[in-house]
Amino acid sequence: LVLPGHSTRRIVVALYNYNAREETDVSFVKGDRMEVLDDTESDWWRVVHLKTRQEGLIPWNFVAEDRSVNSEEYVPYICWFFENVSRKEADKLLLANENPRGTFLVRPSEHNPNGFSLSVKDWEESRGYHVKHYKIKPLDNGGYYIATNQTFPSLPALVMAYSKNALGLCHVLSSPCPKPQPQVWDLGPELRDKWEINRNEIQLLRKLGHGNFGEVYYGKWRNNIEVAVKTLREGTMSTQAFLQEAAIMKKFRHSRLVALYAVCSKEEPIYIVQEYMSKGSLLDFLRTGDGQFLQFEDLIYIAAQVASGMEYLELKQLIHRDLAARNVLIGENNVAKICDFGLARVIADDEYCPKQGSRFPVKWTAPEAIVYGKFSIKSDVWSYGILLMELFTYGQVPYPGMHSREVIEQIERGYRMPKPTAHHLPDDIYSLMLKCWDAIPDKRPTFEFLNHYFQNFTITSEVPYREVQD
């Protein structure tokens, strides 16, 4: 029943700026209001812009329902509420240099299904800038509290109160943490299904390096959107096998996997057009880039992100086959994403097969995959253990001084890389690496376990936070 004078129009508000990429989509700036005409597609909604009256498609994750902040049901749309953020990511976002003391966010609790966590940036003489996390507990009759003598009917009411007065928190809540712009998974709305694009729409601007299969360039799509372009050497793989694999890669989406945007496969060399990551490969970043100066907790953060992406592949029963620091890319703020998953499977190049010479990444590959060609998510776990060694030694070559044949023979005899002496590596992380290198694949940990391990790693080593005094 619609009351007279009321309508069932659905209005959304822009949370970010967006510039249209094609004729079919609509530009908007943060705060603009639009009416949703069709939301049946998962990534692009059809709207009419209430100010410009322009009709077209918008990326759905750039907007939120226009509803009252006081309505408890719609908490996820409030600017300080971060729906899918772990404790470790909350730390990273809040500690950005531009955020003043008292910058905060609220996120769902990782341990209490009905509770939340309030994360606040603080400063102390002895510790410098750090983040304090407070438990927000639910009341049986609705409402929330941090300290039992201060209860609130809703989360917005709680935030409002602590924004006026610290009431025992480390600092009054000053400003909500800025949200990073969400991922757009397609170059534009027209390319969501048809992702073979014309190669003259791609400008190759500078060479970034070369991989096993060809060159990598920084480029732009239609002189506008930054992309990375891999060019595959002629004869590297059958075009059909590659396109089948690319169709799989295009379907899988996770914040820790590099987005595949498009391909140009009508002529050689094939172009793979993907998300551009400004700091390049993790390997180069650790050896010669800003990664040389990372603190131990930054390395933990990268280990957690890679495990998170691999947990997603594990869940989807996909095998990477070539997990290594060279196949993890780094963006701003030490964001890490895995690339090239599945590509090793379709390479038609003998040198990349276990039977042949040095190009095959023997030092990263589990023994059962080298000897019997048995690749599985458990052989990826072995590779992840090697990647951890690369990470904590700032890009050192695994098994220093040993060549591939020697590595295979030594591993078969039970040899494993020793704990490095020149770099800080806690015993428990080293023993975790040894578990990743168990000779029996089923005894190796899952990526789900590895992700939880690194997400929660610093909790054990942090000073326990005092609860707010009652």
Side-chain angles (χ1 to χ4, degrees):
L1 177 72
V2 178
L3 298 171
H6 286 67
S7 79
T8 51
R9 292 168 70 201
R10 185 165 160 219
I11 308 297
V12 291
V13 185
L15 302 177
Y16 311 90
N17 300 344
Y18 175 77
N19 288 324
R21 299 170 172 202
E22 299 178 80
E23 285 165 9
T24 48
D25 53 340
V26 175
S27 296
F28 51 81
V29 296
K30 185 175 171 176
D32 283 356
R33 294 167 78 242
M34 291 158 274
E35 180 179 355
V36 179
L37 305 176
D38 181 2
D39 65 358
T40 50
E41 275 207 48
S42 56
D43 292 325
W44 298 87
W45 288 355
R46 179 165 292 284
V47 301
V48 58
H49 193 296
L50 295 182
K51 199 147 104 198
T52 65
R53 303 310 302 171
Q54 195 183 352
E55 189 181 313
L57 297 166
I58 60 164
W60 71 277
N61 52 356
F62 277 56
V63 298
E65 304 287 334
D66 181 18
R67 285 165 167 156
S68 150
V69 159
N70 301 322
S71 168
E72 187 55 29
E73 213 180 320
Y74 306 118
V75 161
Y77 304 118
I78 298 169
C79 59
W80 41 256
F81 190 86
F82 283 57
E83 206 162 2
N84 298 310
V85 164
S86 67
R87 177 190 174 110
K88 206 165 251 17
E89 285 169 321
D91 286 351
K92 204 80 204 150
L93 291 166
L94 288 164
L95 289 173
N97 289 336
E98 59 272 19
N99 292 336
R101 187 178 176 194
T103 301
F104 71 98
L105 60 85
V106 175
R107 57 193 171 84
S109 164
E110 287 169 308
H111 306 296
N112 177 351
N114 301 317
F116 297 92
S117 294
L118 169 66
S119 303
V120 187
K121 182 173 183 177
D122 194 22
W123 187 86
E124 287 166 21
E125 189 84 45
S126 57
R127 296 175 66 185
Y129 281 111
H130 58 279
V131 176
K132 290 214 168 86
H133 302 274
Y134 297 95
K135 290 180 182 142
I136 301 178
K137 296 173 185 159
L139 290 159
D140 294 341
N141 57 354
Y144 298 93
Y145 69 96
I146 292 176
T148 44
N149 63 347
Q150 300 273 351
T151 64
F152 303 96
S154 67
L155 281 183
L158 178 147
V159 168
M160 184 80 73
Y162 286 108
S163 301
K164 291 180 178 153
N165 186 327
L167 299 171
L169 294 191
C170 61
H171 195 275
V172 67
L173 302 183
S174 59
S175 53
C177 185
K179 284 192 179 179
Q181 189 156 303
Q183 177 102 35
V184 179
W185 291 98
D186 310 299
L187 281 176
E190 294 299 296
L191 296 171
R192 55 199 188 278
D193 302 318
K194 158 195 148 299
W195 37 278
E196 172 81 41
I197 61 171
N198 199 324
R199 71 179 59 216
N200 62 20
E201 294 189 351
I202 296 287
Q203 291 79 37
L204 302 181
L205 299 175
R206 71 169 186 275
K207 189 168 158 182
L208 296 172
H210 57 92
N212 282 316
F213 322 128
E215 319 277 86
V216 187
Y217 293 88
Y218 166 77
K220 289 205 169 169
W221 173 69
R222 297 187 181 167
N223 283 321
N224 179 17
I225 305 293
E226 292 191 309
V227 290
V229 182
K230 285 190 164 175
T231 66
L232 296 181
R233 270 195 319 279
E234 302 203 19
T236 305
M237 59 181 77
S238 101
T239 304
Q240 190 172 358
F242 165 68
L243 287 174
Q244 282 171 340
E245 196 65 26
I248 294 170
M249 290 159 68
K250 179 81 175 139
K251 272 209 302 269
F252 292 102
R253 297 176 171 188
H254 184 268
S255 61
R256 297 296 170 243
L257 300 181
V258 169
L260 172 69
Y261 290 146
V263 297
C264 308
S265 67
K266 296 277 190 257
E267 57 203 81
E268 302 257 24
I270 293 175
Y271 283 2
I272 305 176
V273 183
Q274 60 187 38
E275 179 181 2
Y276 171 63
M277 301 288 284
S278 58
K279 306 284 185 185
S281 84
L282 173 59
L283 187 60
D284 295 337
F285 181 66
L286 291 169
R287 285 181 178 173
T288 56
D290 297 343
Q292 299 170 86
F293 313 110
L294 290 179
Q295 303 291 311
F296 178 71
E297 50 268 30
D298 297 319
L299 301 179
I300 295 286
Y301 178 57
I302 290 171
Q305 293 178 81
V306 176
S308 169
M310 290 307 299
E311 182 187 355
Y312 173 81
L313 294 186
E314 178 176 78
L315 189 69
K316 299 290 183 187
Q317 298 182 310
L318 282 172
I319 307 167
H320 190 293
R321 291 168 181 255
D322 195 9
L323 183 61
R326 62 183 172 274
N327 285 330
V328 171
L329 299 180
I330 301 291
E332 299 303 319
N333 294 325
N334 302 333
V335 165
K337 300 192 183 196
I338 302 160
C339 66
D340 284 3
F341 58 97
L343 265 194
R345 202 160 69 90
V346 292
I347 300 305
D349 162 353
D350 282 344
E351 285 183 76
Y352 213 72
C353 286
K355 311 289 172 273
Q356 299 287 324
S358 61
R359 282 266 299 290
F360 181 70
V362 164
K363 290 183 171 187
W364 284 263
T365 306
E368 72 276 6
I370 294 174
V371 180
Y372 305 109
K374 282 191 178 166
F375 286 90
S376 67
I377 197 70
K378 292 301 187 188
S379 60
D380 280 347
V381 171
W382 178 292
S383 307
Y384 179 76
I386 305 291
L387 184 150
L388 289 179
M389 188 62 90
E390 294 183 274
L391 180 63
F392 290 107
T393 60
Y394 292 83
Q396 193 176 298
V397 177
Y399 308 97
M402 292 169 73
H403 55 73
S404 298
R405 170 105 0 246
E406 195 182 344
V407 169
I408 296 172
E409 288 165 4
Q410 291 287 2
I411 291 287
E412 288 288 291
R413 291 198 192 110
Y415 173 84
R416 299 294 184 263
M417 264 186 285
K419 185 179 151 179
T421 49
H423 298 279
H424 171 55
L425 182 64
D427 289 341
D428 47 352
I429 293 185
Y430 177 64
S431 69
L432 184 75
M433 290 179 185
L434 291 176
K435 290 192 178 97
C436 292
W437 303 328
D438 198 295
I440 301 166
D442 284 343
K443 286 194 171 172
R444 295 170 201 157
T446 60
F447 280 112
E448 181 186 17
F449 173 83
L450 292 162
N451 184 24
H452 283 298
Y453 179 87
F454 283 109
Q455 288 290 356
N456 297 321
F457 185 79
T458 44
I459 295 177
T460 50
S461 57
E462 276 177 307
V463 185
Y465 298 130
R466 284 200 320 270
E467 286 277 336
V468 175
Q469 294 305 306
D470 285 3

